Each structure stands twice: as C-alpha cells, then as structure tokens.
Amino acid sequence: MEPQRERAGRHLKKGRKRRRGPNMLVGAAEAMRARWELEESQPEAKKARLSTILFAENCEVTHEQLCELLKYAVLGNSNVSKPSWCQLFHQNQLNNVVVFVLQGMSQLHFYRFYMEFGVLRKAFTHKFRLPPPSSNFLADIIGLQKKQTTGDLSKMVEGSLPSTSSKVSISLQNAPIIQKYGSKKVGLTRCLLTKEEMKTFHFPLQGFPDCENFVPTKCHGSITDNSPLFGLDCEMCLTSKGRELTRISLVAEGGCCVMDELVKPDNKVLDYLTSFSGITKKILNPVTTKLKDVQRQLKALLPPDAVLVGHSLGLDLRALKMIHPYVIDTSLLYVREQGRRFKLKFLAKAILGKDIQCPDRLGHDATEDARTTLELARYFLKYGPRKIAELNLEALASHQELLAAGQGPRNTAEVVQQSNTSVLECLDLMGQKLLFLTREAETSELSSSRNCQTIKCLTNKEVLEQARVEIPLFPFSIVQFSFEPFSYKLTEEMNKRMRSKWTEMSTVYAGPFSKNCNLRAVKRLFKSFGPVRSMSLVLETHQPHLCIQYEVLEAAQLAIESLDGILVESTCIKVQRPVTELTLDSSTLVKELEQDSENRGTIYLSGVNQTFKEHLLQQSNIFLGLEAVILPKDLKSGKQKKYCFLKFKTFGSAQRALNILKGKDWKLKGRHALTPRHLHAWLRGIPPESRRTPGVRVIPPPSEQQALQVLKVDHPKIAAWRWGRKIGKLYHSLSPGTLCLILLPGTKSTHGSFSGLGLMGIKDEEESTTPKICS
C-alpha cells in the first residue's frame, strides 16, 4: 500500500530540530535481547522457527557459521552449542534439513536475474551473504576436515565402542554368532529369516490357520544386498479380544520417520499398558484411524523389495495382522547363548552407545525403537559377526556393573564437544545418514564418506527427479545442481552493470525550478528523504534542475512518490529517475522488491534521531508486532545515520506503524522497504570507480546481447527462471518443519572472486513476535 501523496498547493517549510534526551537505548536494547534469549522457554511456541535478524554487521555468514547451524539443527541444544549468528527456536520440532546448492551461481547472479528468481525470493524470509567459495565448498559447510579420510572417520567411530576388558573371556569360534554366520562379513540377504525360522519363531505366514484374516504386504520383489531397510515398531494395549495395535512407527533407512500413527482398537480396552506403550485413554480418545487404515497405508509405502527390521518383529506383525516375507529380527540377529535374547535397550547401549526407553519417560518411543533396530542392523552389516563376538556381549549382559562403573561407550556430548566434529559425525551419533544428490561430473569428499548415501545423476533434471523421491526418506539431504559458470570477463561486466543499475535507480532528477528559487531550502527538502551521496545543479536545460543521488533506493523512491508534481514557488516540478536501458523496468522492479519476503513487513524511515529511538523503545506497546529495529551506521565514523528500518511480524502491522510514524506526533518520512539488509550492505560498499554518471549508456557484451536476442533455452536468464520455479515447487512439497537452505556458493577463479548468497527458511514456520535490536 503506497503512502498518500499530497500534491497541489504544498510549499516548503523549515523543519524544527528535535530536542535530544538522555541515552537510554543501550539498556532497552539489552532488555529486549534478554527477552529474545528467554523466548525459547515459552510453552505456547510449538513450531521450529528462525530469528528474523542476523547478528553479522555486514550480513556475511562464514562457511564455519553455516556448519554451526547445521550441527545444531541435527543435535539440538543439549549436545552442541547454539549458532553464533542466528537463532533457531524449538530445534526438536524440526522434521528434516534440506540444503540445495546451486553450483556456479553467486549473489551477483541472483540480483542480475532477480525477476526470474521470483519464486525463491518470495518464499524465503532470511537471506545472507556468503564469502567466496574455497576449493571444496561442501566439505566446508558440513565441517569435513581437509586431511580427514574415510579411514580416519571409521577409526573415530570404532573408538567409541564399549570397553571389553572384562576378565570373562570367550573363544570367538564358540560364540553363537560366529557359529551361525561365520567370522566374515555377510550381506543383507544372509541376515533374513528363512521361512523355517519364521515358522519356528511364530511369525505370521500365508496359509497358516491363525493367519486367515491377515493382510499380505504384496512385497514379492527380488531381494538383493541393496534392498531398502525399514525399521518397524508397534505399541499394543490389552482389549477384550487380546492385544491390539495402538501405535505404529516406520523409519526409512536414512533414519527418517515415514509413518507414525496412533490407532483406535476395534474392541473395548481393558489395559492401555501405559508403562510400556506410553498410550493413555486421553491420547486415544480423539483418534479415528483404524487398523485397516494403517494396513492400507503400509502397503502403499513399502516398495516390492522392502525388508522390515524390528526387535521381536513377529509380535509387531501379528498386532498389525499383516504378512511380510522379508524380515530381519535384531533379537535373533544378535544371537545369544541357549536361545535367549538380548533386550533392545541393552543392545542400544552396548553396541550404539545410546540410551533408549529411559525410566523417566512415560512408556517407550516407537519411532526411537524402530530407528534403533535399523542402526543395529546397519552396524551388523558394516562390522560383521566377528566384531560383534569381540564385544563379548554375553559378559557385558552378565556384568551390568561394567556399564554402571562408566566403562560403556562415550556419549554424544563427549564426541560433539570436539571443535572439529562434522555434520556427518553428528548424524552418525543419531543413527542417521546424509543423502547427497549430485551430477556425475562433480567431485566431492562427501561422495566417499562412510555415513553418506550418494546418488550421482547425469543431468540436473535427473537430480531434481531423484530429489522428489529420496528427500522424504532422509532426515538430512544435500542436493547439488551444477550450472556452467560465466566467463570472468562477462561476470565482471555484469557486475559493473548491476552496480550501475542500482546507482541509477537511486538517482532522481527534479525540476524545473525558477531562477530565483531558494535552492538551499530545496536541497534541504530532498535531504529529508534519506542520506544523499551527491547533489548537483543541472544547467544544460532552459531552467535549472537538480540531480540527487541517494545512498539507499528507498530514499529515491520516497522522493519520487512525495514530490513529483508538487508546486515549488508556483512552479510544478517533476521528480523522476534517469531513463536508460538499465532503468526501463524500474517501476516493475520496485513493485517486485516490495513483494520480496524479506521486505514484507519492513518499513524505511528517514529523519530519525536519538529521541526517536528512545521513544520507540519506551512506547513499543503502540507498535504491535514489532520484531526488529535496524540502525545503520556510517562505515567511516561509526555514527548512527538518520534513517532506520523497522521490521514487523505482518504487512498490516507495518502499515499501521507507518501511518502512526508519519502522523503529527512523530512527523517522519517513510515507506515500505525495498532493499534486503544484506543487499543494502553490499551496495553501501560500492567503490567510487565502479559508479558511472547516470544516463551514460552501457552496451552489453556481444555474447550476452546475442543470447538475449535469440533467447535460447539454456540462456542464464531462462535457466534462472526455470530452475527457480522448479526448486521452489520442490520446496513447497517438503513436509512442514523442514529447515531449508538454498546456497549460491559464489564463484572464484584466477582473475577474481564473487560473493555467494544464502536463502533460508523453515517450511510453514511460525514467525517471531519478540522485538530485537540490530545496529
């Protein structure tokens, strides 16, 4: 919504200086920061969300700082320190993390093709600058050490295995697990239960009398050692007809929960078995899902060659009343003497070094148990029977005091306290894998990492297609698209033209003025709209004109909207931008900038001083939804400038505040913001030699000029539009609670380097309502 424009009959008035009061800003700012820090403890906030203001003064986020955020997103507050540059609230409510990398693109590309990237810029509220990339951008952002190899990582994981220095010793050859599987590593198919074993351990089987009404999963594909694993766990209650299903959890091999449903039993419940299931009458009352619903859903989810993994899995399948032919039962996989079975809780601690089914929690967590069985199966396949036998599990189970004495494995906190811990190690500690989708031509240390599922594709289109299928199955995904970088000459020319475009858009011509006009008053009027970089008198015309170049685009736009068509000493003046090929689409670009998600809800104000800041903080209750006060400083002197940006939760809140601040009590000039903070910081740093006189024509290089005329399908402008839309569509298909980053790493060559850009958001995130101060 545009400000009202007062036109006819308006004349110049001398402004009055505001009286300065005592400096109370620092204390108020500290108080608001304290409220921000405490916000995470508020019980009503249930959705994961990001802060709206970045702490970095120049809005540049290093690769190490990105790694901080990614590690925190995986492990949370209890095991790793919070990121130093932003706030991620309610991390435990995150469902997935997805990172899209647009290799070969930079911040310059984004703003050169700003109109074409419409879907992405409107979808992501948080944007930040990245430094030029190193030789291995991906390794930097996930924290892989340059000297680290796959072997080093394996040794680190192996070093976390439990101590087996018990005096009780066994002969490996006599170990039950060696007698069954041998001492060498085995493939997945060797771990499957045979039909005879399934019959012995009372698994539901087709054609058996007690399984007449059971539903088959229709999984009859060919099983190989590469078939997908799915962890399954069910919780039951006791009804008038026996045990019935109350909850089912299904976890994909990447560690992502693909199904977690509460189920209403068909018969009267006699005992909810809450101490085991965690289910209560209150929890089940609103549930409408029935057994047949989850049977139908499970059949649709499982691929033909799916292998189900569980602990005492036969009981779960009977509760589901379903038949599945390919199963791994971890209670039987980790063979024990005399036909006994290890408990899942014991195996989780002894093998994986993790505590599950904690006594201070009400009942078991079905998703946690399902994920744990998957981890145990993966561990068995990776290290083989001999490694399991060497752990001497029988002795550990018979001597629980070893665990009580602290000789068990290192816990998660001990591992992640190391400063060089990578995202991969964090995922490994959680029993999860990283998905890496890329083109075959690209090389990265990620591809050879132990805990990374790498899928290489021939084209970007194939990467996109695979991403749609694979991302829901993994808790953490990196999807890399590769684009042909521009030549350095073309990039440098594009950089100069982009900076010239913003300079020209921030420039206005005003006039004509009478020869007897009070130019001092006119100049003072134009300065009231924002910081002026230069102001000169144009005498080539019949009557004098002024050329005003502002530091910020908002000031120029505000001057045009406020002064175009007004009367100055009985002369109607026109205020407009210079007309060049770089400003022909300025009106359209301004409208699009207003719709940028980072600008929605942000207002620009000119004429502010210390009194304004104090009043704003003292009367913050008037401005509902105020989230942040951004106070730019002069780069040389460090003093605060006489303009600011206020960020609000909604566009409506911003509009109401703008009306108040432009009213008679505040008497400020302002409008809705146009430049995101990181872009403003970039434009402020334009060196003088890169600016040109407004109106001078810049001819694009022949190669780009020809491409624009032909508009080939693979032209960067078309590619930006097409891939921006495709990635945006993929983002909108992600599940709620997904932290998503889109990274344009920047470019680097022997000729020079260009900064990157990051876009960040949480799908369906709940925005903050607590003000923050940023200067």
Side-chain angles (χ1 to χ4, degrees), residues 63 67 134 136-146 422 444-446:
H63 301 153
C67 186
S134 63
N136 198 333
F137 173 76
L138 287 178
D140 288 344
I141 66 169
I142 66 168
L144 281 180
Q145 301 302 306
K146 292 182 179 178
S422 71
S444 172
E445 290 181 37
L446 265 180

Side-chain angles (χ1 to χ4, degrees), residues 529-545:
F529 295 102
V532 172
R533 196 185 298 276
S534 67
M535 189 181 296
S536 58
L537 194 61
V538 179
L539 299 175
E540 284 81 0
T541 53
H542 176 64
Q543 289 179 286
H545 285 69

Side-chain angles (χ1 to χ4, degrees), residues 456-468:
K456 291 196 172 185
C457 307
L458 293 175
T459 63
N460 283 335
K461 183 179 180 181
E462 190 178 337
V463 170
L464 184 72
E465 292 170 351
Q466 287 290 327
R468 291 194 184 104

Side-chain angles (χ1 to χ4, degrees), residues 54 56-61 127-130 677-679 681:
L54 307 177
E57 171 62 25
N58 63 354
C59 300
E60 182 173 278
V61 176
K127 301 181 183 72
F128 49 88
R129 189 167 63 188
L130 292 169
R677 193 175 175 220
H678 70 276
L679 177 61

Side-chain angles (χ1 to χ4, degrees), residues 86-137:
C86 68
Q87 293 281 334
L88 171 57
F89 297 106
H90 310 293
Q91 172 273 343
N92 60 345
Q93 297 298 321
L94 281 180
N95 291 325
N96 302 79
V97 178
V98 180
V99 180
F100 294 105
V101 179
L102 277 56
Q103 193 68 38
M105 290 194 177
S106 66
Q107 179 175 237
L108 175 62
H109 291 79
F110 184 81
Y111 284 104
R112 169 64 180 84
F113 305 116
Y114 182 81
M115 305 288 281
E116 287 71 30
F117 279 116
V119 175
L120 297 184
R121 58 181 162 80
K122 291 177 182 178
F124 291 89
T125 307
H126 315 280
K127 301 181 183 72
F128 49 88
R129 189 167 63 188
L130 292 169
S134 63
S135 58
N136 198 333
F137 173 76

